[in-house]
Structure formats: structure tokens, C-alpha cells
Amino acid sequence: EWPTPDPNTPTNITCDSERACWRTADILCPSNAACVVKCVGANACYETQIVWPIASGQATLLCGTETNACFGVNLPPNATRSNWTIVNTTNMRPPPQAANN
């Protein structure tokens, strides 16, 4: 089971190998602080459920280019480009379901 973070402490969660967080039930982010979830590796976060921060603009999802790195990851509630961030860098890409937001 994923540990419960301090609600006011920014958190970085890295799933950096094949199936590192594969089908993990409830990765917990702090409710009132920044939370960065990085998925790098084939199926690193495949069908992973994330409990995102309540505070607006605090969620960041980084997805590697490996096969299904973020396939099926749940997006934050009421996700829009204005209240959360998917970051694209040279070696990162958003999860497939984010393309329609």
C-alpha cells in the first residue's frame, strides 16, 4: 500500500522502470501541495490510479516515450489545461487519453 503523504509537503513520485507502478492501487499525492508523478519505462504506470491534489494547479504527470508508460492512468478530477499540467519534454509525452482535453 502506498504511504500517506503529509498534506502540505510537495511530493515527487518516480516510477522509473518497467512495471514499477504497474496497476498500483491509489498512489497518494498530498492534498494541498504540488505532486509530480513521473512514469518512465514500459508499462511503468500502466492502469495506475493516482489520488491527485485537491489544490488547483498542483498536479504534474510526466510520461516517458516507452510503450504504455502512462496507459490508463487516471487524470485529475475536472482536468483542464488551466488547472493542471502534463509536461512534454524531449523524452516525455502525455498519456493517450489526455489528447482530447
Coordinates of all heavy atoms in Angstrom, one line a residue:
E1 N 0.8 -1.2 0.0 CA 0.0 0.0 0.0 C 0.9 1.2 0.0 O 1.9 1.3 0.6 CB -0.9 0.0 1.2 CG -1.9 1.1 1.2 CD -3.0 0.9 2.3 OE1 -3.5 -0.2 2.4 OE2 -3.2 1.9 3.0
W2 N 0.4 2.3 -0.7 CA 1.2 3.5 -0.9 C 1.1 4.3 0.4 O 0.1 4.4 1.0 CB 0.6 4.3 -2.0 CG 1.6 5.2 -2.6 CD1 1.8 6.5 -2.4 CD2 2.6 4.9 -3.6 NE1 2.8 7.0 -3.1 CE2 3.4 6.0 -3.9 CE3 3.0 3.7 -4.2 CZ2 4.4 6.0 -4.8 CZ3 4.0 3.7 -5.1 CH2 4.7 4.9 -5.4
P3 N 2.2 4.9 0.9 CA 2.2 5.7 2.1 C 1.4 7.0 2.0 O 1.3 7.5 0.9 CB 3.7 6.0 2.4 CG 4.3 5.9 1.1 CD 3.5 4.9 0.3
T4 N 0.8 7.4 3.1 CA 0.0 8.6 3.1 C 1.0 9.8 3.3 O 1.7 9.8 4.3 CB -1.0 8.6 4.2 OG1 -1.9 7.5 4.0 CG2 -1.8 9.9 4.2
P5 N 1.0 10.8 2.3 CA 2.0 11.9 2.5 C 1.4 13.0 3.4 O 0.2 13.0 3.7 CB 2.1 12.4 1.0 CG 0.7 12.1 0.5 CD 0.3 10.8 1.1
D6 N 2.3 13.8 3.9 CA 1.9 15.0 4.6 C 1.1 15.8 3.6 O 1.6 16.1 2.5 CB 3.1 15.8 5.1 CG 2.7 17.0 5.8 OD1 2.4 17.0 7.0 OD2 2.7 18.1 5.2
P7 N -0.1 16.3 4.0 CA -0.9 17.0 3.0 C -0.4 18.3 2.5 O -0.8 18.8 1.5 CB -2.2 17.3 3.8 CG -1.9 17.1 5.2 CD -0.7 16.2 5.3
N8 N 0.6 18.9 3.2 CA 1.2 20.2 2.8 C 2.6 20.2 2.3 O 3.2 21.2 2.1 CB 1.0 21.2 4.0 CG -0.4 21.4 4.4 OD1 -1.3 21.7 3.6 ND2 -0.7 21.1 5.7
T9 N 3.2 19.0 2.1 CA 4.5 18.8 1.7 C 4.6 18.4 0.2 O 4.0 17.4 -0.1 CB 5.3 17.8 2.5 OG1 5.2 18.2 3.9 CG2 6.7 17.6 2.1
P10 N 5.2 19.2 -0.7 CA 5.3 18.8 -2.1 C 6.0 17.4 -2.2 O 6.9 17.1 -1.4 CB 6.2 19.9 -2.7 CG 6.0 21.1 -1.8 CD 5.8 20.5 -0.4
T11 N 5.5 16.7 -3.2 CA 5.9 15.3 -3.4 C 6.3 15.0 -4.8 O 5.6 15.4 -5.7 CB 4.8 14.3 -2.9 OG1 4.5 14.6 -1.5 CG2 5.2 12.9 -3.0
N12 N 7.4 14.3 -5.0 CA 7.8 13.8 -6.3 C 7.8 12.2 -6.2 O 8.4 11.7 -5.4 CB 9.2 14.2 -6.7 CG 9.2 15.7 -7.0 OD1 8.5 16.2 -7.8 ND2 10.1 16.4 -6.3
I13 N 7.0 11.6 -7.1 CA 6.9 10.2 -7.2 C 7.5 9.7 -8.5 O 7.0 10.2 -9.6 CB 5.4 9.7 -7.0 CG1 4.9 10.2 -5.7 CG2 5.3 8.2 -7.2 CD1 3.4 10.1 -5.5
T14 N 8.4 8.8 -8.5 CA 9.1 8.4 -9.7 C 8.9 6.9 -9.9 O 9.3 6.1 -9.0 CB 10.6 8.7 -9.8 OG1 10.7 10.1 -9.6 CG2 11.2 8.3 -11.0
C15 N 8.3 6.5 -11.0 CA 8.1 5.1 -11.4 C 9.1 4.9 -12.6 O 8.7 5.2 -13.7 CB 6.7 4.8 -11.7 SG 5.5 5.1 -10.4
D16 N 10.3 4.5 -12.3 CA 11.3 4.6 -13.3 C 11.9 3.3 -13.9 O 13.0 3.3 -14.3 CB 12.5 5.5 -12.7 CG 13.1 4.9 -11.5 OD1 12.7 3.8 -11.0 OD2 14.1 5.5 -11.0
S17 N 11.1 2.3 -13.9 CA 11.5 1.1 -14.6 C 10.2 0.4 -15.1 O 9.1 0.7 -14.8 CB 12.3 0.2 -13.6 OG 11.5 -0.2 -12.5
E18 N 10.5 -0.7 -15.9 CA 9.4 -1.4 -16.4 C 8.4 -1.9 -15.3 O 8.9 -2.6 -14.4 CB 9.9 -2.6 -17.3 CG 8.8 -3.3 -18.0 CD 9.3 -4.4 -19.0 OE1 10.5 -4.3 -19.3 OE2 8.5 -5.2 -19.4
R19 N 7.2 -1.6 -15.4 CA 6.1 -2.0 -14.5 C 6.4 -1.6 -13.0 O 5.9 -2.2 -12.1 CB 5.9 -3.5 -14.5 CG 5.4 -4.0 -15.8 CD 5.1 -5.5 -15.8 NE 4.5 -5.9 -17.1 CZ 4.0 -7.1 -17.3 NH1 3.9 -8.0 -16.3 NH2 3.5 -7.4 -18.4
A20 N 7.1 -0.5 -12.8 CA 7.5 0.0 -11.5 C 6.2 0.3 -10.7 O 6.2 0.0 -9.5 CB 8.4 1.2 -11.6
C21 N 5.2 0.9 -11.3 CA 4.0 1.2 -10.5 C 2.8 0.6 -11.3 O 1.7 1.1 -11.2 CB 3.8 2.7 -10.4 SG 5.1 3.5 -9.5
W22 N 3.0 -0.5 -12.0 CA 2.0 -1.1 -12.8 C 0.8 -1.5 -12.0 O 1.0 -2.2 -10.9 CB 2.7 -2.3 -13.5 CG 1.8 -3.1 -14.4 CD1 1.4 -2.7 -15.6 CD2 1.3 -4.4 -14.2 NE1 0.7 -3.7 -16.2 CE2 0.6 -4.8 -15.4 CE3 1.4 -5.4 -13.2 CZ2 0.0 -6.0 -15.5 CZ3 0.8 -6.6 -13.3 CH2 0.1 -6.9 -14.5
R23 N -0.4 -1.0 -12.4 CA -1.6 -1.4 -11.7 C -1.6 -1.1 -10.2 O -2.2 -1.9 -9.4 CB -2.1 -2.8 -12.1 CG -2.4 -3.0 -13.5 CD -3.0 -4.3 -13.8 NE -3.5 -4.4 -15.1 CZ -3.8 -5.5 -15.8 NH1 -3.7 -6.6 -15.2 NH2 -4.3 -5.4 -17.0
T24 N -0.8 -0.1 -9.8 CA -0.8 0.2 -8.4 C -2.1 0.8 -8.0 O -2.7 1.7 -8.7 CB 0.4 1.2 -8.1 OG1 1.6 0.6 -8.5 CG2 0.4 1.7 -6.7
A25 N -2.6 0.4 -6.9 CA -3.9 1.0 -6.4 C -3.6 2.2 -5.6 O -2.8 2.1 -4.6 CB -4.6 -0.1 -5.5
D26 N -4.1 3.3 -6.0 CA -4.0 4.6 -5.2 C -2.6 5.0 -4.8 O -2.2 4.9 -3.7 CB -4.9 4.5 -4.0 CG -6.4 4.3 -4.4 OD1 -6.8 4.6 -5.5 OD2 -7.1 3.8 -3.5
I27 N -1.9 5.6 -5.8 CA -0.7 6.4 -5.4 C -1.3 7.7 -4.8 O -2.1 8.3 -5.4 CB 0.1 6.7 -6.7 CG1 0.9 5.5 -7.1 CG2 1.1 7.8 -6.4 CD1 1.7 5.7 -8.4
L28 N -0.8 8.0 -3.6 CA -1.4 9.1 -2.9 C -0.5 10.4 -3.0 O 0.7 10.3 -2.6 CB -1.6 8.8 -1.4 CG -2.5 7.6 -1.2 CD1 -2.5 7.3 0.3 CD2 -3.9 7.8 -1.7
C29 N -1.1 11.5 -3.5 CA -0.4 12.8 -3.5 C -0.9 13.5 -2.3 O -1.9 13.3 -1.8 CB -0.8 13.5 -4.8 SG -0.1 12.9 -6.3
P30 N -0.1 14.6 -1.9 CA -0.5 15.4 -0.8 C -1.8 16.2 -1.3 O -1.9 16.6 -2.5 CB 0.6 16.3 -0.6 CG 1.4 16.3 -1.9 CD 1.2 15.0 -2.5
S31 N -2.7 16.4 -0.4 CA -4.0 17.1 -0.8 C -3.8 18.6 -1.1 O -4.6 19.1 -1.9 CB -5.0 16.8 0.3 OG -4.6 17.3 1.5
N32 N -2.8 19.2 -0.5 CA -2.7 20.7 -0.6 C -1.4 21.1 -1.1 O -1.0 22.3 -0.8 CB -3.0 21.3 0.8 CG -4.4 21.0 1.3 OD1 -5.4 21.2 0.5 ND2 -4.5 20.5 2.5
A33 N -0.6 20.3 -1.7 CA 0.7 20.7 -2.2 C 1.0 20.1 -3.5 O 0.3 19.2 -4.0 CB 1.8 20.2 -1.2
A34 N 2.1 20.5 -4.2 CA 2.4 20.1 -5.5 C 2.7 18.6 -5.5 O 3.3 18.1 -4.5 CB 3.6 20.8 -6.0
C35 N 2.4 17.9 -6.6 CA 2.6 16.5 -6.7 C 3.0 16.2 -8.2 O 2.3 16.5 -9.1 CB 1.4 15.7 -6.4 SG 1.6 13.9 -6.4
V36 N 4.3 15.7 -8.3 CA 4.8 15.3 -9.6 C 4.9 13.8 -9.7 O 5.5 13.2 -8.8 CB 6.2 15.9 -9.9 CG1 6.7 15.5 -11.2 CG2 6.1 17.5 -9.8
V37 N 4.2 13.2 -10.7 CA 4.3 11.7 -10.9 C 5.0 11.5 -12.2 O 4.5 12.0 -13.2 CB 2.9 11.1 -10.9 CG1 3.1 9.6 -11.1 CG2 2.2 11.3 -9.5
K38 N 6.1 10.8 -12.2 CA 6.9 10.6 -13.4 C 6.9 9.1 -13.7 O 7.3 8.3 -12.8 CB 8.4 11.1 -13.1 CG 9.3 10.9 -14.3 CD 10.7 11.5 -14.0 CE 11.6 11.4 -15.1 NZ 12.9 11.9 -14.8
C39 N 6.5 8.8 -14.9 CA 6.4 7.4 -15.3 C 7.3 7.1 -16.5 O 7.1 7.6 -17.6 CB 5.0 7.1 -15.7 SG 3.7 7.4 -14.4
V40 N 8.4 6.4 -16.3 CA 9.4 6.2 -17.3 C 9.8 4.7 -17.3 O 10.2 4.1 -16.3 CB 10.7 7.0 -17.0 CG1 11.7 6.7 -18.1 CG2 10.4 8.5 -16.9
G41 N 9.5 4.1 -18.4 CA 9.7 2.6 -18.6 C 8.5 2.0 -19.1 O 7.4 2.5 -19.0
A42 N 8.6 0.9 -19.9 CA 7.5 0.2 -20.5 C 6.5 -0.2 -19.4 O 6.9 -0.7 -18.4 CB 8.0 -1.0 -21.2
N43 N 5.2 0.2 -19.6 CA 4.2 -0.1 -18.6 C 4.5 0.5 -17.2 O 3.9 -0.1 -16.2 CB 3.9 -1.6 -18.6 CG 3.5 -2.1 -19.9 OD1 2.6 -1.7 -20.5 ND2 4.3 -3.1 -20.4
A44 N 5.3 1.5 -17.1 CA 5.7 1.9 -15.7 C 4.5 2.3 -14.9 O 4.5 2.0 -13.7 CB 6.6 3.2 -15.9
C45 N 3.5 3.0 -15.4 CA 2.3 3.3 -14.6 C 1.0 2.8 -15.3 O 0.0 3.4 -15.1 CB 2.3 4.9 -14.5 SG 3.6 5.6 -13.6
Y46 N 1.2 1.7 -15.9 CA 0.0 1.1 -16.6 C -1.2 0.9 -15.7 O -1.0 0.3 -14.6 CB 0.5 -0.3 -17.2 CG -0.6 -0.9 -18.1 CD1 -0.6 -0.7 -19.5 CD2 -1.5 -1.8 -17.6 CE1 -1.5 -1.3 -20.3 CE2 -2.4 -2.4 -18.3 CZ -2.4 -2.2 -19.7 OH -3.4 -2.8 -20.5
E47 N -2.3 1.5 -16.0 CA -3.5 1.4 -15.3 C -3.3 1.8 -13.8 O -4.0 1.2 -12.9 CB -4.2 0.1 -15.4 CG -4.7 -0.1 -16.8 CD -5.4 -1.4 -17.0 OE1 -5.6 -2.2 -16.1 OE2 -5.9 -1.7 -18.2
T48 N -2.5 2.7 -13.5 CA -2.2 3.2 -12.1 C -3.3 4.2 -11.8 O -3.6 5.1 -12.6 CB -0.8 3.7 -12.0 OG1 0.1 2.7 -12.3 CG2 -0.5 4.3 -10.6
Q49 N -3.8 4.1 -10.6 CA -4.7 5.1 -10.1 C -4.0 6.1 -9.1 O -3.3 5.6 -8.2 CB -5.9 4.4 -9.3 CG -6.7 3.5 -10.2 CD -7.3 4.3 -11.4 OE1 -8.1 5.2 -11.1 NE2 -7.0 3.9 -12.6
I50 N -4.2 7.4 -9.4 CA -3.5 8.4 -8.6 C -4.5 9.2 -7.9 O -5.5 9.7 -8.5 CB -2.6 9.3 -9.5 CG1 -1.6 8.4 -10.3 CG2 -1.9 10.4 -8.7 CD1 -0.8 9.1 -11.4
V51 N -4.4 9.4 -6.6 CA -5.2 10.4 -5.9 C -4.5 11.7 -5.9 O -3.5 11.9 -5.2 CB -5.4 9.9 -4.4 CG1 -6.3 10.9 -3.6 CG2 -6.0 8.5 -4.4
W52 N -5.0 12.6 -6.8 CA -4.4 13.8 -7.1 C -4.6 14.9 -6.1 O -5.6 14.8 -5.3 CB -4.9 14.4 -8.5 CG -4.4 13.5 -9.6 CD1 -5.2 12.6 -10.3 CD2 -3.1 13.5 -10.2 NE1 -4.4 12.0 -11.3 CE2 -3.1 12.5 -11.3 CE3 -1.9 14.1 -10.0 CZ2 -2.0 12.3 -12.1 CZ3 -0.8 13.9 -10.7 CH2 -0.9 12.9 -11.8
P53 N -3.8 16.0 -6.0 CA -4.1 17.0 -5.0 C -5.4 17.7 -5.3 O -5.9 17.8 -6.4 CB -2.9 18.0 -5.3 CG -1.9 17.3 -6.0 CD -2.6 16.2 -6.8
I54 N -6.0 18.2 -4.2 CA -7.2 19.0 -4.3 C -6.9 20.4 -4.8 O -7.7 20.9 -5.6 CB -7.9 19.0 -2.9 CG1 -8.3 17.6 -2.5 CG2 -9.1 20.0 -2.9 CD1 -8.7 17.6 -1.0
A55 N -5.8 20.9 -4.4 CA -5.5 22.3 -4.8 C -5.3 22.4 -6.3 O -4.6 21.6 -6.9 CB -4.2 22.7 -4.0
S56 N -5.8 23.5 -6.8 CA -5.7 23.7 -8.3 C -4.3 24.0 -8.7 O -3.5 24.7 -8.0 CB -6.6 25.0 -8.6 OG -6.5 25.2 -10.0
G57 N -3.9 23.4 -9.9 CA -2.6 23.7 -10.4 C -1.5 22.9 -9.8 O -0.3 23.2 -10.0
Q58 N -1.7 21.9 -9.0 CA -0.7 21.2 -8.2 C -0.3 19.9 -8.8 O 0.6 19.3 -8.3 CB -1.2 21.0 -6.8 CG -1.4 22.3 -6.0 CD -0.1 23.1 -5.8 OE1 0.9 22.6 -5.6 NE2 -0.2 24.4 -5.9
A59 N -0.9 19.4 -9.9 CA -0.7 18.1 -10.4 C 0.2 18.2 -11.7 O -0.2 18.9 -12.6 CB -2.0 17.3 -10.7
T60 N 1.2 17.3 -11.7 CA 2.1 17.2 -12.9 C 2.3 15.8 -13.2 O 2.7 15.0 -12.3 CB 3.4 17.9 -12.7 OG1 3.2 19.3 -12.4 CG2 4.2 17.8 -14.0
L61 N 2.0 15.4 -14.4 CA 2.2 14.0 -14.9 C 3.3 14.0 -16.0 O 3.1 14.6 -17.0 CB 0.9 13.4 -15.4 CG 1.0 11.9 -15.9 CD1 1.5 11.0 -14.8 CD2 -0.4 11.5 -16.4
L62 N 4.4 13.3 -15.8 CA 5.4 13.2 -16.8 C 5.4 11.7 -17.3 O 5.5 10.8 -16.5 CB 6.8 13.5 -16.2 CG 7.0 14.9 -15.6 CD1 8.3 15.0 -14.9 CD2 6.9 15.9 -16.7
C63 N 5.3 11.6 -18.6 CA 5.2 10.2 -19.2 C 6.3 10.0 -20.2 O 6.5 10.8 -21.1 CB 3.9 10.0 -19.9 SG 2.5 10.2 -18.8
G64 N 7.1 8.9 -20.0 CA 8.1 8.5 -21.0 C 7.6 8.1 -22.3 O 6.4 7.8 -22.4
T65 N 8.4 7.9 -23.3 CA 8.0 7.5 -24.6 C 8.0 6.0 -24.7 O 7.6 5.5 -25.8 CB 9.0 8.1 -25.6 OG1 10.3 7.6 -25.3 CG2 9.0 9.6 -25.7
E66 N 8.3 5.3 -23.6 CA 8.3 3.8 -23.7 C 6.8 3.3 -23.9 O 5.9 4.0 -23.5 CB 8.9 3.2 -22.4 CG 10.3 3.6 -22.2 CD 10.5 5.0 -21.5 OE1 9.5 5.6 -21.1 OE2 11.6 5.4 -21.5
T67 N 6.7 2.1 -24.3 CA 5.3 1.5 -24.6 C 4.5 1.6 -23.3 O 4.9 1.1 -22.3 CB 5.5 0.1 -25.0 OG1 6.3 0.0 -26.2 CG2 4.1 -0.5 -25.3
N68 N 3.3 2.2 -23.5 CA 2.3 2.3 -22.4 C 2.8 2.8 -21.1 O 2.3 2.4 -20.0 CB 1.7 0.9 -22.2 CG 0.9 0.4 -23.4 OD1 0.3 1.1 -24.1 ND2 1.0 -0.9 -23.6
A69 N 3.7 3.7 -21.1 CA 4.3 4.3 -19.9 C 3.2 4.9 -19.0 O 3.2 4.7 -17.8 CB 5.3 5.4 -20.2
C70 N 2.2 5.5 -19.6 CA 1.1 6.1 -18.8 C -0.3 5.6 -19.2 O -1.3 6.2 -18.9 CB 1.1 7.6 -18.9 SG 2.4 8.4 -17.9
F71 N -0.4 4.5 -19.9 CA -1.6 3.9 -20.4 C -2.6 3.7 -19.3 O -2.3 3.0 -18.3 CB -1.4 2.6 -21.2 CG -2.7 2.1 -21.7 CD1 -3.2 2.5 -22.9 CD2 -3.4 1.1 -21.0 CE1 -4.4 2.0 -23.4 CE2 -4.6 0.6 -21.5 CZ -5.1 1.1 -22.7
G72 N -3.8 4.3 -19.4 CA -4.8 4.1 -18.4 C -4.7 4.8 -17.1 O -5.5 4.6 -16.2
V73 N -3.7 5.7 -16.9 CA -3.5 6.5 -15.7 C -4.7 7.4 -15.6 O -5.1 8.1 -16.6 CB -2.2 7.3 -15.7 CG1 -2.2 8.3 -14.6 CG2 -1.0 6.4 -15.7
N74 N -5.3 7.5 -14.5 CA -6.5 8.4 -14.3 C -6.0 9.9 -14.2 O -4.9 10.2 -13.7 CB -7.3 8.1 -13.0 CG -6.5 8.3 -11.8 OD1 -5.4 7.7 -11.6 ND2 -7.0 9.1 -10.9
L75 N -6.7 10.7 -14.9 CA -6.4 12.2 -14.8 C -7.0 12.8 -13.6 O -8.0 12.3 -13.1 CB -6.9 12.8 -16.1 CG -6.3 12.3 -17.4 CD1 -7.0 13.0 -18.6 CD2 -4.8 12.4 -17.5
P76 N -6.5 14.0 -13.2 CA -7.1 14.6 -12.0 C -8.6 15.0 -12.3 O -9.0 15.2 -13.5 CB -6.3 15.9 -11.9 CG -5.0 15.6 -12.6 CD -5.4 14.7 -13.7
P77 N -9.4 15.0 -11.3 CA -10.8 15.4 -11.5 C -10.9 16.8 -12.1 O -10.1 17.7 -11.8 CB -11.4 15.4 -10.0 CG -10.5 14.6 -9.2 CD -9.1 14.7 -9.9
N78 N -11.9 17.0 -13.0 CA -12.1 18.3 -13.7 C -10.8 18.8 -14.3 O -10.5 20.0 -14.3 CB -12.6 19.3 -12.7 CG -13.9 18.9 -12.0 OD1 -14.8 18.4 -12.7 ND2 -13.9 19.0 -10.7
A79 N -10.0 17.9 -14.9 CA -8.7 18.3 -15.5 C -9.0 19.1 -16.7 O -9.8 18.8 -17.6 CB -8.0 17.0 -15.9
T80 N -8.3 20.3 -16.8 CA -8.3 21.1 -17.9 C -6.8 21.6 -18.0 O -6.0 21.5 -17.1 CB -9.2 22.3 -17.8 OG1 -8.7 23.2 -16.8 CG2 -10.6 21.9 -17.6
R81 N -6.5 22.2 -19.2 CA -5.1 22.7 -19.3 C -4.9 23.9 -18.3 O -3.7 24.2 -18.0 CB -4.9 23.2 -20.8 CG -5.0 22.1 -21.8 CD -3.6 21.5 -22.1 NE -3.8 20.5 -23.1 CZ -3.1 19.4 -23.0 NH1 -2.3 19.1 -22.1 NH2 -3.3 18.5 -24.0
S82 N -5.9 24.5 -17.8 CA -5.7 25.6 -16.9 C -5.5 25.3 -15.5 O -5.0 26.0 -14.7 CB -6.8 26.6 -17.0 OG -8.0 26.0 -16.6
N83 N -5.9 24.1 -15.0 CA -5.8 23.7 -13.6 C -4.9 22.6 -13.3 O -4.8 22.2 -12.2 CB -7.2 23.5 -13.0 CG -7.9 22.3 -13.5 OD1 -7.3 21.5 -14.2 ND2 -9.1 22.1 -13.1
W84 N -4.2 22.0 -14.3 CA -3.2 21.0 -14.0 C -2.3 21.0 -15.2 O -2.5 21.6 -16.2 CB -3.8 19.7 -13.7 CG -4.3 18.9 -14.8 CD1 -5.3 19.1 -15.6 CD2 -3.7 17.7 -15.3 NE1 -5.4 18.2 -16.6 CE2 -4.5 17.2 -16.4 CE3 -2.6 16.9 -14.9 CZ2 -4.2 16.1 -17.1 CZ3 -2.4 15.7 -15.6 CH2 -3.1 15.3 -16.7
T85 N -1.2 20.2 -15.2 CA -0.2 20.2 -16.2 C 0.2 18.8 -16.6 O 0.5 18.0 -15.7 CB 1.1 21.0 -15.7 OG1 0.7 22.3 -15.2 CG2 2.1 21.1 -16.8
I86 N 0.3 18.6 -17.9 CA 1.0 17.5 -18.4 C 2.2 18.1 -19.1 O 2.1 19.0 -20.0 CB 0.2 16.7 -19.5 CG1 -1.0 16.0 -18.8 CG2 1.1 15.6 -20.1 CD1 -1.9 15.3 -19.8
V87 N 3.4 17.7 -18.8 CA 4.6 18.3 -19.3 C 5.1 17.5 -20.5 O 5.3 16.2 -20.3 CB 5.7 18.4 -18.2 CG1 6.9 19.0 -18.8 CG2 5.1 19.3 -17.1
N88 N 5.4 18.1 -21.6 CA 6.1 17.4 -22.7 C 7.5 17.9 -22.7 O 7.8 19.1 -22.8 CB 5.4 17.8 -24.0 CG 4.0 17.2 -24.1 OD1 3.9 16.0 -24.0 ND2 3.0 18.0 -24.3
T89 N 8.5 17.0 -22.7 CA 9.9 17.3 -23.0 C 10.4 16.4 -24.1 O 9.6 15.6 -24.6 CB 10.7 17.2 -21.7 OG1 10.7 15.8 -21.3 CG2 10.1 18.0 -20.5
T90 N 11.6 16.5 -24.4 CA 12.2 15.7 -25.4 C 11.9 14.2 -25.3 O 11.5 13.5 -26.2 CB 13.7 15.9 -25.5 OG1 14.0 17.2 -25.7 CG2 14.3 15.1 -26.7
N91 N 12.0 13.7 -24.0 CA 11.8 12.3 -23.8 C 10.5 11.9 -23.1 O 10.3 10.8 -22.6 CB 12.9 11.7 -23.0 CG 14.2 11.8 -23.7 OD1 14.3 11.5 -24.9 ND2 15.3 12.3 -23.1
M92 N 9.5 12.9 -23.1 CA 8.3 12.7 -22.4 C 7.1 12.9 -23.3 O 7.2 13.6 -24.3 CB 8.1 13.6 -21.2 CG 9.2 13.5 -20.2 SD 9.0 12.0 -19.2 CE 10.5 12.0 -18.3
R93 N 6.0 12.3 -23.0 CA 4.8 12.6 -23.8 C 3.6 12.4 -22.9 O 3.6 11.7 -21.9 CB 4.7 11.6 -25.0 CG 4.5 10.2 -24.6 CD 4.4 9.3 -25.9 NE 4.4 7.9 -25.6 CZ 3.4 7.2 -25.1 NH1 2.3 7.7 -24.9 NH2 3.6 5.9 -24.8
P94 N 2.4 13.1 -23.2 CA 1.2 12.9 -22.3 C 0.6 11.5 -22.5 O 0.8 10.9 -23.6 CB 0.3 14.0 -22.8 CG 0.8 14.3 -24.2 CD 2.2 14.0 -24.3
P95 N -0.2 11.1 -21.6 CA -0.9 9.8 -21.8 C -1.9 9.9 -22.9 O -2.3 11.0 -23.2 CB -1.5 9.6 -20.4 CG -1.7 10.9 -19.8 CD -0.5 11.7 -20.3
P96 N -2.2 8.8 -23.5 CA -3.1 8.8 -24.7 C -4.4 9.5 -24.4 O -4.9 10.3 -25.3 CB -3.4 7.4 -25.0 CG -2.2 6.6 -24.4 CD -1.8 7.5 -23.2
Q97 N -5.1 9.4 -23.3 CA -6.4 10.0 -23.0 C -6.3 11.5 -22.9 O -7.3 12.1 -22.9 CB -7.1 9.3 -21.9 CG -6.4 9.5 -20.5 CD -5.4 8.5 -20.2 OE1 -4.6 8.0 -21.0 NE2 -5.3 8.1 -18.9
A98 N -5.1 12.1 -22.7 CA -5.0 13.5 -22.5 C -5.2 14.3 -23.8 O -5.4 15.5 -23.8 CB -3.7 13.8 -21.8
A99 N -5.1 13.6 -24.9 CA -5.1 14.3 -26.2 C -6.4 15.0 -26.4 O -6.4 16.0 -27.2 CB -4.8 13.3 -27.3
N100 N -7.5 14.6 -25.8 CA -8.8 15.3 -26.1 C -9.1 16.4 -25.1 O -10.2 17.0 -25.2 CB -9.9 14.2 -26.0 CG -9.7 13.2 -27.2 OD1 -9.3 13.6 -28.2 ND2 -10.1 12.0 -26.9
N101 N -8.2 16.7 -24.2 CA -8.5 17.8 -23.2 C -8.2 19.1 -23.7 O -7.3 19.4 -24.4 CB -7.7 17.5 -21.9 CG -8.2 16.3 -21.1 OD1 -9.4 15.9 -21.3 ND2 -7.4 15.7 -20.3

